[in-house]
Amino acid sequence: MSVSRTRTSARAVLAGGIALSSVVLLSGTAFAHVSVQPQGEAAKGGYATVNIKVPNERDNASTVKVEVNFPLDHPLASVMPQPLPGWKAEVTKGKLDKPLELHGKKINEAVSKVTWTADGSKIGPGQFQQFPLSLGQLPEDTDQLVLKAIQTYDNKEVVRWIEEQKEGAEEPQNPAPVLKLSAASEDHHGGAAPSASADTDEKAGHDDKTADHQETAAASSATDTTARVLGVIGILVGVAGVAFGVLAGRRRSA
């Protein structure tokens, strides 16, 4: 192969590598959105633990503030942030046009916003942070909750993750985090009540264990009896042997 062909091939490979790297980098940036991720099930009418995942999309600034807004048209009576080292959490409530009834009590206000402010920590370039929340009681009249978020960097730049996805349209540039809700479960606290079949199975298991125990005890008793019988026979054989030896000795002496 000539030198010119070698150089041409090398340039082609280099150009292809640069193009591929650009595609990868652009793809990574496109998918680096603020999102909400449930830990387990987020069922209608139940309670859930979720993480607000916040990536840093800038290579020259750090995230120092995150604000997540909750819809008051589908209110949540309880939103509790988990303590996070290096961050200060503030919960803001708003008045409801229609009171919310929970556990027999009427609630006139609900959480409208949770704000985390850096207090000795930050989300640096190439990093992400998860902000845990406990939510409840989840609404039963919707399939999802849109949690609009605002991300602030230490260079004063603000990114608003507030654009809602429209059906059939491409994903917006700054989509709002969406929490999908699954169908309501029998137990809103996340555990189904034990069924009659479960009780029957448990009772059957108990009876089986009792029978096994009785069987074991009977076998142990039989083994013990056999051992005693064999012991007695051994003694008798021993006595007979001694007697035979004594008689044999007397005959020889005679």
Side-chain angles (χ1 to χ4, degrees):
M1 183 181 291
S2 64
V3 176
S4 60
R5 287 185 178 180
T6 303
R7 290 178 178 175
T8 302
S9 299
R11 288 173 183 172
V13 172
L14 179 60
I18 293 173
L20 180 60
S21 299
S22 300
V23 171
V24 172
L25 288 174
L26 289 173
S27 298
T29 302
F31 287 102
H33 301 328
V34 174
S35 59
V36 55
Q37 302 173 341
Q39 303 303 299
E41 187 180 30
K44 298 177 182 179
Y47 295 80
T49 299
V50 303
N51 282 331
I52 305 297
K53 185 178 180 181
V54 183
N56 192 327
E57 293 189 317
R58 303 293 180 264
D59 57 7
N60 60 350
S62 297
T63 298
V64 293
K65 186 178 179 181
V66 176
E67 176 185 310
V68 176
N69 294 273
F70 295 86
L72 290 181
D73 55 343
H74 300 294
L76 296 171
S78 174
V79 177
M80 296 187 295
Q82 179 177 316
L84 198 63
W87 294 87
K88 180 182 178 181
E90 181 181 359
V91 178
T92 304
K93 293 186 177 182
K95 291 289 183 180
L96 296 176
D97 295 332
K98 182 180 179 181
L100 181 67
E101 189 170 338
L102 183 65
H103 301 307
K105 296 181 180 180
K106 287 187 176 181
I107 299 174
N108 296 314
E109 60 180 12
V111 174
S112 60
K113 178 174 63 177
V114 176
T115 305
W116 290 270
T117 306
D119 185 20
S121 184
K122 58 185 178 181
I123 309 173
Q127 299 178 342
F128 76 93
Q129 178 66 58
Q130 295 192 106
F131 298 88
L133 288 171
S134 174
L135 308 180
Q137 186 171 356
L138 297 174
E140 299 183 61
D141 57 350
T142 183
D143 294 326
Q144 64 181 29
L145 291 177
V146 179
L147 310 180
K148 297 181 179 182
I150 299 176
Q151 181 177 12
T152 304
Y153 290 87
D154 55 8
N155 62 355
K156 307 303 180 182
E157 180 185 2
V158 176
V159 180
R160 301 179 183 277
W161 303 95
I162 61 174
E163 299 177 56
E164 296 189 37
Q165 177 70 49
K166 295 182 180 180
E167 187 176 355
E170 293 184 0
E171 184 183 52
Q173 183 176 358
N174 295 319
V178 176
L179 176 62
K180 299 289 187 180
L181 303 181
S182 59
S185 59
E186 293 181 6
D187 181 4
H188 287 172
H189 292 277
S195 61
S197 60
D199 292 339
T200 303
D201 291 342
E202 184 179 356
K203 183 177 180 181
H206 177 72
D207 292 342
D208 289 343
K209 289 181 180 180
T210 303
D212 290 343
H213 178 72
Q214 291 175 347
E215 239 180 76
T216 302
S220 177
S221 177
T223 301
D224 186 55
T225 302
T226 302
R228 289 182 181 180
V229 171
L230 291 176
V232 171
I233 292 175
I235 293 173
L236 293 176
V237 171
V239 171
V242 171
F244 179 78
V246 173
L247 291 174
R250 287 181 180 180
R251 286 178 182 177
R252 290 175 184 175
S253 298

